[in-house]
Amino acid sequence: MKSKTEHLWFHTKKRWEILDITREVERIVRESGVQEGLCLVNAMHITASVFINDSEPGLHEDQLAWAEQLAPHGKPYRHHQTGEDNGDAHLKRNLMGREVVVAVTNGKLDFGPWERIHYGEFDGQRKKRVLVKVIGE
Amino acid sequence: MKSKTEHLWFHTKKRWEILDITREVERIVRESGVQEGLCLVNAMHITASVFINDSEPGLHEDQLAWAEQLAPHGKPYRHHQTGEDNGDAHLKRNLMGREVVVAVTNGKLDFGPWERIHYGEFDGQRKKRVLVKVIGE
Amino acid sequence: MKSKTEHLWFHTKKRWEILDITREVERIVRESGVQEGLCLVNAMHITASVFINDSEPGLHEDQLAWAEQLAPHGKPYRHHQTGEDNGDAHLKRNLMGREVVVAVTNGKLDFGPWERIHYGEFDGQRKKRVLVKVIGE
């Protein structure tokens, strides 16, 4: 069994932002030499998400507006009694998910026509990590 | 390490529909010969979901109504500026998830009593695929 | 390839409750002997979730209140025509997710600084199981 682990770092300019990170993941899969296996991609922070959807800027705005509508910023969350102000970001992460697992087939991410891997940042403007792990043969 | 990859095709009659696809996945696991491993099942399209829940028709109606309530069809999503009309379907997919990973133990899906794998279609009436990948020994 | 499978049992005192189960999962990973691989942790019941987020009691209250707001208990769900009264719990589970897949690196869960694995119970006060499966080398 082969495996490869790598961390990707992101530092978004805005507090809320969605980035297409597919090419970085494709590079890691290529470098892993795995032909048949699984690729895990997960946020290592609990106020960010990794998810697969269309890489379309209008949709990214829709996703951020939708997450804000369902888990608004600035509400009196109990989590804020710890001194934090990012209760909304923890809930947005629950909504959008932590991770994706992608099949690796013939050495490549086995994707449908529009699948792209995204990093969803809900409390950004600082350095945060994504883990990529490929296992297989 | 063994692995098996197969695509399942679905063409729903309705635009919104939930299908129980457990038996197809069980067949693929059986054919893979894997005794101990993991089985990934994911939608290959970004307006559909794969998730595990109860296979009960009333619940399926509840899930579709709930997704419609949280991400309504026909709103002026920014994604529609591309000419699409399915912004709601992309958000419903974020809500319900892209994939499941199921343990394979003693050659079978290692399920609790009511776990069933479902395909959730949010923009159907056309051919769409689900990927099943089994890895293990 | 090595693998290890274990079931964890939970019996919550309250109907809705969130438990930090990280230490039990860490023990299973240690006992598996796997150095490089993947660890799947999933609810085996369809009215419970496994997810990763901050282990902070205020946030847990926020998460339960948020799930109740988006999928309220006591509404006339169609699922209740079967005699059940837990339609909300099935939807809360869809919201919060069934499973997490965590990288195992150098024999340990490869976590960011605040990642903790939680069991989210939405219809408790009875015995329910979580499956942990570790595969790798």
Side-chain angles (χ1 to χ4, degrees):
Chain A
M1 205 195 78
K2 286 180 185 174
S3 74
K4 181 176 172 69
T5 310
E6 193 169 320
H7 294 174
L8 301 172
W9 288 90
F10 300 100
H11 188 140
T12 61
K13 286 181 195 156
K14 298 183 202 160
R15 183 156 184 165
W16 297 282
E17 202 164 331
I18 292 176
L19 305 174
D20 182 339
I21 64 171
T22 313
R23 292 177 78 160
E24 284 97 327
V25 179
E26 285 173 338
R27 173 186 55 76
I28 296 168
V29 170
R30 206 163 46 233
E31 292 175 4
S32 76
V34 168
Q35 294 298 303
E36 299 295 321
L38 296 177
C39 175
L40 168 69
V41 187
N42 70 264
M44 298 187 78
H45 298 258
I46 53 193
T47 51
S49 287
V50 169
F51 59 88
I52 288 178
N53 211 315
D54 197 358
S55 186
E56 196 278 297
L59 179 63
H60 297 171
E61 287 186 60
D62 290 329
Q63 287 166 323
L64 291 173
W66 181 65
E68 174 63 18
Q69 182 198 322
L70 294 187
H73 183 63
K75 278 183 65 176
Y77 295 108
R78 286 192 186 82
H79 183 53
H80 295 176
Q81 294 175 12
T82 63
E84 296 280 355
D85 71 342
N86 61 0
D88 65 304
H90 289 278
L91 301 179
K92 284 164 175 151
R93 137 59 173 267
N94 280 131
L95 180 68
M96 298 296 284
R98 167 185 179 262
E99 81 219 8
V100 296
V101 177
V102 185
V104 177
T105 306
N106 296 325
K108 290 189 177 167
L109 294 170
D110 195 341
F111 267 161
W114 300 101
E115 288 192 276
R116 302 288 291 178
I117 305 173
H118 293 85
Y119 175 67
E121 174 63 83
F122 307 119
D123 186 20
Q125 298 172 313
R126 50 197 173 113
K127 285 181 76 176
K128 290 164 88 170
R129 273 179 303 166
V130 163
L131 180 149
V132 183
K133 182 139 200 153
V134 191
I135 70 162
E137 267 186 1
Chain B
M1 206 194 76
K2 286 179 184 173
S3 74
K4 182 176 170 68
T5 310
E6 193 171 321
H7 295 173
L8 301 171
W9 288 89
F10 300 100
H11 188 140
T12 60
K13 286 179 195 157
K14 298 182 200 159
R15 181 155 186 167
W16 297 283
E17 202 164 332
I18 292 175
L19 306 174
D20 183 339
I21 63 170
T22 313
R23 291 176 79 162
E24 284 97 327
V25 179
E26 285 174 336
R27 173 185 56 76
I28 296 168
V29 169
R30 206 162 45 235
E31 292 175 5
S32 75
V34 169
Q35 294 297 303
E36 299 295 321
L38 296 177
C39 176
L40 168 70
V41 187
N42 68 265
M44 298 187 79
H45 298 259
I46 53 194
T47 51
S49 286
V50 169
F51 60 88
I52 288 178
N53 211 316
D54 198 358
S55 186
E56 197 277 298
L59 178 63
H60 297 170
E61 287 186 59
D62 290 329
Q63 287 166 323
L64 291 174
W66 181 65
E68 174 63 18
Q69 183 198 321
L70 295 187
H73 183 64
K75 278 183 64 178
Y77 296 107
R78 287 193 184 82
H79 183 52
H80 295 176
Q81 295 176 10
T82 63
E84 296 281 354
D85 71 343
N86 62 0
D88 65 305
H90 289 277
L91 300 179
K92 284 165 175 150
R93 137 58 172 269
N94 281 131
L95 180 68
M96 298 297 283
R98 167 185 179 262
E99 80 219 7
V100 295
V101 177
V102 184
V104 177
T105 306
N106 296 323
K108 290 187 176 169
L109 294 170
D110 195 341
F111 267 162
W114 300 100
E115 288 191 276
R116 303 287 290 178
I117 305 172
H118 293 85
Y119 175 67
E121 174 63 82
F122 306 118
D123 186 20
Q125 299 173 313
R126 50 197 172 114
K127 284 181 76 177
K128 288 164 87 171
R129 274 179 301 165
V130 163
L131 179 150
V132 183
K133 182 140 200 153
V134 192
I135 71 162
E137 269 187 359
Chain C
M1 205 195 76
K2 286 179 185 173
S3 74
K4 181 176 171 68
T5 310
E6 193 170 321
H7 295 172
L8 301 171
W9 287 89
F10 300 100
H11 188 141
T12 61
K13 287 179 194 156
K14 298 182 202 160
R15 183 157 184 165
W16 297 282
E17 202 164 332
I18 292 176
L19 306 174
D20 182 339
I21 64 171
T22 313
R23 291 177 79 160
E24 284 97 328
V25 179
E26 286 174 336
R27 174 186 55 76
I28 296 168
V29 169
R30 207 163 45 233
E31 292 174 6
S32 75
V34 168
Q35 295 297 304
E36 298 296 321
L38 296 177
C39 176
L40 167 70
V41 188
N42 70 264
M44 298 187 79
H45 297 259
I46 52 194
T47 52
S49 287
V50 169
F51 59 87
I52 288 178
N53 211 315
D54 198 358
S55 185
E56 197 277 298
L59 179 63
H60 297 171
E61 287 186 59
D62 290 328
Q63 288 166 323
L64 291 174
W66 180 65
E68 174 62 19
Q69 183 198 322
L70 295 187
H73 183 63
K75 278 183 65 177
Y77 296 107
R78 287 192 184 82
H79 182 53
H80 295 177
Q81 294 176 12
T82 63
E84 296 281 354
D85 71 342
N86 62 1
D88 65 304
H90 289 278
L91 300 179
K92 284 164 175 153
R93 137 59 173 269
N94 281 130
L95 180 67
M96 298 296 284
R98 166 186 179 261
E99 81 219 8
V100 294
V101 177
V102 185
V104 178
T105 306
N106 296 323
K108 291 188 176 167
L109 294 170
D110 195 341
F111 267 162
W114 300 100
E115 287 191 276
R116 303 288 291 178
I117 306 173
H118 292 86
Y119 175 67
E121 175 62 83
F122 306 118
D123 187 19
Q125 298 173 315
R126 50 196 172 114
K127 286 181 76 177
K128 289 163 89 171
R129 273 180 301 167
V130 163
L131 181 149
V132 183
K133 183 140 200 155
V134 191
I135 72 162
E137 269 189 358

